[in-house]
């Protein structure tokens, strides 16, 4: 069999992914096995693969592939989110390019364009995930606006409305002037901005006096309906019952008094603009002030403002400052930094706006979801996010669930021409309900609410509706077989920034409609940043294209590179060199495979060195797989990968293969014995299994090149290695071997002794342990390894733990140079001994430390004393 000299990732990826698909290895249906289920956080249908997706979906694929190998019925459900704001913006932009305005289209016409766009572009990101190796059950792919999933959303709205948990009212909302819709508090991103704090004089009516108010938003002055001060502020006591004049529009408004004002802050006077600030709105309600909305929905100055009509809000801000200065009404301007809210979707500066919206009461429905996390029923990983979750849930506001868009689930509320409102699934049902309120009802006067529901109001049902959309109507008792089998799911992998947006709300929905949590564990990834610590983004140009990385380094290389340094909940400082390291690892594995396949198997006996090396590696494998399993159980993904990496690269390639590799005689490799060859193939197969979740393509490729296999005998479904208790004594002995071989190799380099020149090594010991003697002879290239009770005069010596070793060097030992080396070593060990003894003399440490920690420090002290004694004797002899 011809084996390529170098591994070609593209060949393996193009071969094995279709093969897995064709043979239904990703497919899952309920059976007698225990299920292991993950539902994908559905990416936006507008999305293309970015580095955050790469991290998140690689972790999910690692978990699902390992579960499959552990014998679980592994089911990973893929899908996409309809992303109301983002998708509608894409479609509006596309229509604009064609000279079509949304306002010139009917709702039905616009939605046809939107569905056409979705069918053409909406599946791109899922196809890209296949390049990564994502082993989703693609037959289960769902979309949040599919007919039955949308029906479930409508069912939830009607149910919660009937329970009195959904209401409609005028409230101050976060308004996105670019998206032309309300957004929830959680969709507002606060960014530090440079702003001007303008101190404006408001003249007291009928006098030449004035009151000064500071504002960062002078463009809203036209909406002012009062100036407020503290009732106990003596500076303004004479203004009781007075009015002041709003600049520019010359409106007379009252000076009101309220203890809401902090008299120590700024000038102690506040301009009250009820239409443009939630606190001002509350003051306005309390003091019965009129409301003047100075802005249009798209962020321009409104007719109601009475000045600057039609001007953009930010252009108005600049102009009004100039005009106020010309009128002599600006006392001063300060440059400040403040936090300004931006829309998460469009990045437009948010405007507080009074608007009629639909809300979900959160105080009652959120309690079971809070308890689920506080009681550890749902585990957050890492646990540090529990406090954030608790803070959010204990301070939750009612959820504004309506959006002023067309793309999404249309709110099932219906109105007649008399101001009556009913909630119903169909127009026919709505008409029946409205007739009980309005006997003169005409069918053509029935209108459905124009708004759609917040995207999160559909995705909060995701773990339920991907399996059984009808569960909302039918209830848990009548749930279908899929939901009863796969729910609750096992692990959710997502980002901390949507912990409240999505995770908390899914728990709320799960508890509300099944009484059961939607998942066991929530693994929260960090943010992918560049090596300067900046969040990766298109605008900064610091985010590499994941598909280009896959083309350059292979999917396995990129997967390993992403996860080498991504502890849960901590940000990943990405550098392309990590992907290069991943590719190098794949090449290392390939070269080890080629070496093993290149062995010629002979009929000779098994060397003692090979037998000992096999015994060591078998136990090393058991020890490390137990550690790897423990890392997985604690969701220490980077640690599990690093332990796998070191076991393969260091223990297998650098030590085991070197120990069993046949010698070259006269330039020709000698045959390897059959027992060692079979054991080595077996070890490689076991290592491929533990590598497979991280590196699915190269492991499947090598698995099939090792020997002929049936189409179903694939590593993707090979059983995860079973382990036995490791022989700790044997493993500790081999650690001494490694240190000994390293010391001899270092000595050769230091003394410029050829690697081919055989040396002799003595161990000073009264109780020899010859298990690995032949391995030492081979790896250190010795003529012999012997034991002695006496010092070897004139030999180079070194200590490992408390044992002394000698290497006779004859003409190679320089006494003066050796004295210098030994004195440095003596100084180091004396310093080390002093630090240990200081710690042991610390009464607080001894009183509080665990017994095993004290025992460890005492052993360090004993070893250091032995080393010092040995070095002093060596110096004496020299």
């Amino acid at each position: 069999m011809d084996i390529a000299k170098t591994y070609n990732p593209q060949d393996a990826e193009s071969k094995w992914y279709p093969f897995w698909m064709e043979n239904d290895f990703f497919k899952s249906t309920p059976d007698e096995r225990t299920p292991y289920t993950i539902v994908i956080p559905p990416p936006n249908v507008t999305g293309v693969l970015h580095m955050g997706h790469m991290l998140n979906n690689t972790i999910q694929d690692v978990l699902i592939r390992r579960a499959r190998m552990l014998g679980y019925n592994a089911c990973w459900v893929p899908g996409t989110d309809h992303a109301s704001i983002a998708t509608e913006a894409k479609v509006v932009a596309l229509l604009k390019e064609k000279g079509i305005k949304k306002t010139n289209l009917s709702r039905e016409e616009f939605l046809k364009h939107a569905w056409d766009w979705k069918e053409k572009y909406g599946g791109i990101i899922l196809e890209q995930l296949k390049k990564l190796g994502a082993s989703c059950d693609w037959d289960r792919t769902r979309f949040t606006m599919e007919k039955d999933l949308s029906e479930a959303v409508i069912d939830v709205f009607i149910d919660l409305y009937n329970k009195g948990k959904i209401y409609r009212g005028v409230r101050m909302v976060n308004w996105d002037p670019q998206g032309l819709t309300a957004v929830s508090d959680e969709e507002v991103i606060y960014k530090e901005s440079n702003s001007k704090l303008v101190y404006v004089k408001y003249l007291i009516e009928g006098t030449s006096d004035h009151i000064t108010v500071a504002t960062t938003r002078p463009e809203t002055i036209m909406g002012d309906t009062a100036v407020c001060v503290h009732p106990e502020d003596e500076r303004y006591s004479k203004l009781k019952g007075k009015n002041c004049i709003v600049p520019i529009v010359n409106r007379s408004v009252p000076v009101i008094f309220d203890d809401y004002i902090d008299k120590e802050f700024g000038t102690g006077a506040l301009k009250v603009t009820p239409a443009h600030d939630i606190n001002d709105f509350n003051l306005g309600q309390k003091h019965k002030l009129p409301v003047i909305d100075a802005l249009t929905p798209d962020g321009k100055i409104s007719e109601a403002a009475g000045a600057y009509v039609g001007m953009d809000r930010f252009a108005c801000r600049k102009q009004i400052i100039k005009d106020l200065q010309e009128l002599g009404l600006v006392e001063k301007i300060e440059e400040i930094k403040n936090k300004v809210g931006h829309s998460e979707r469009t990045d437009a500066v948010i405007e507080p706006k009074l608007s009629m919206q639909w809300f979900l009461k959160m105080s009652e429905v959120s309690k079971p979801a809070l308890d689920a996390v506080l009681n550890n029923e749902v585990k957050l990983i890492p646990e540090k996010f529990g406090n954030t979750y608790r803070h959010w849930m204990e301070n939750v506001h009612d959820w504004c669930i309506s959006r002023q868009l067309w793309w999404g689930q249309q709110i099932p509320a219906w109105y007649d021409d008399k101001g009556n409102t009913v909630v119903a699934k169909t127009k026919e049902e709505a008409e029946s309900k409205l007739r009980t309120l309005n006997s003169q009802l005409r069918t053509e006067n029935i209108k459905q609410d124009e708004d759609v529901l917040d995207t999160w109001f559909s995705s909060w049902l995701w773990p339920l509706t991907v399996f059984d959309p009808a569960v909302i109507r039918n209830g848990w008792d009548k749930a279908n077989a899929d939901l009863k089998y796969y729910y609750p799911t096992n692990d959710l992998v997502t980002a901390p920034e949507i912990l409240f947006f999505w995770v908390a709300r899914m728990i709320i929905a799960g508890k509300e409609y099944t009484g059961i949590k939607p998942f066991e564990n929530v693994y929260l990834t960090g943010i992918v940043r560049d090596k300067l610590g900046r969040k990766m983004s298109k605008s900064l140009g610091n985010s590499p294209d994941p598909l280009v990385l896959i083309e350059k380094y292979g999917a396995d290389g990129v997967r390993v590179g992403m996860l080498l340094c991504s502890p849960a909940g901590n940000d990943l400082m990405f550098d392309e060199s990590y992907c290069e390291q991943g590719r190098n690892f794949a090449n290392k594995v390939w070269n080890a495979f080629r070496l093993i396949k290149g062995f010629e198997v002979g009929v000779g006996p098994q060397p003692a060195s090979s037998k000992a090396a096999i015994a060591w590696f078998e136990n090393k494998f058991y020890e490390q797989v137990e550690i790897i399993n423990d890392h997985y159980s604690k969701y220490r993904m980077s640690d599990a990968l690093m332990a796998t990496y070191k076991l393969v690269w260091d223990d297998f390639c650098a030590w085991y293969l070197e120990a069993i590799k046949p010698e070259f005689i006269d330039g020709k490799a000698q045959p390897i014995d059959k027992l060692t060859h079979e054991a080595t193939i077996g070890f490689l197969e076991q290592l491929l299994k533990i590598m497979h979740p991280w590196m699915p393509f190269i492991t499947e490729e090598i698995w099939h090149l090792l020997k002929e296999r049936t189409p179903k005998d694939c590593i993707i479904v090979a059983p995860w290695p079973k382990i036995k208790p490791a022989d700790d004594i044997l493993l500790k002995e081999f650690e001494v071997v490694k240190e000994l071989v390293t010391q001899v190799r270092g000595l050769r380099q230091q003394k410029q002794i050829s690697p081919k020149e055989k040396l002799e090594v003595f161990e000073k010991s009264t109780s020899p342990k010859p298990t690995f003697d032949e391995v030492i002879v081979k790896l250190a290239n010795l003529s012999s390894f012997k034991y002695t009770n006496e010092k070897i005069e004139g030999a180079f010596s070194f200590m490992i733990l408390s044992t002394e070793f000698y290497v006779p060097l004859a003409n190679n030992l320089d006494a003066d140079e050796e004295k210098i080396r030994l004195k440095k070593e003596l100084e180091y060990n004396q310093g080390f001994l002093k630090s240990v003894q200081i710690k042991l003399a610390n009464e607080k440490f001894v009183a509080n430390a665990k017994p095993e920690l004290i025992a460890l420090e005492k052993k360090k002290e004993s070893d250091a004393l032995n080393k010092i004694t040995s070095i002093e004797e060596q110096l004496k002899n020299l």
Side-chain angles (χ1 to χ4, degrees), residues 792-835:
I792 307 294
E793 300 296 335
F796 181 91
S797 67
F798 53 87
M799 296 277 291
I800 300 175
L801 300 178
S802 57
T803 304
E804 198 166 355
F805 295 87
Y806 304 99
V807 186
L809 291 178
N811 300 326
N812 286 304
L813 185 65
D814 182 317
D816 290 335
E817 191 179 290
E818 186 66 3
K819 281 179 186 176
I820 292 169
R821 185 188 72 81
L822 287 171
K823 282 178 180 176
K824 283 182 181 177
E825 193 174 341
L826 180 63
E827 285 174 14
Y828 168 79
N829 280 281
Q830 286 171 334
F832 177 75
L833 175 64
K834 186 178 179 182
S835 69

Side-chain angles (χ1 to χ4, degrees), residues 24-29 33 68 73-74 136-139:
D24 288 336
F25 284 119
F26 305 161
K27 192 173 180 62
S28 174
T29 53
R33 291 175 294 167
R68 201 177 280 125
N73 187 350
C136 303
D137 184 349
W138 297 107
D139 292 341

Side-chain angles (χ1 to χ4, degrees), residues 200-202 221-222 224 245-251 324 329:
V200 182
K201 299 174 185 176
Y202 286 57
I221 280 175
M222 293 80 75
D224 290 356
I245 305 299
V246 177
I248 303 297
V249 291
N250 296 321
R251 182 186 306 121
L324 288 168
L329 296 177

Side-chain angles (χ1 to χ4, degrees), residues 520-538:
E520 302 277 345
N521 307 292
V522 180
Y523 180 100
L524 296 156
T525 65
I527 295 170
V528 183
R529 299 184 180 276
D530 64 17
K531 55 188 176 183
L532 299 177
R534 300 175 302 174
K535 186 175 179 179
M536 287 191 168
S537 69
K538 285 182 186 176

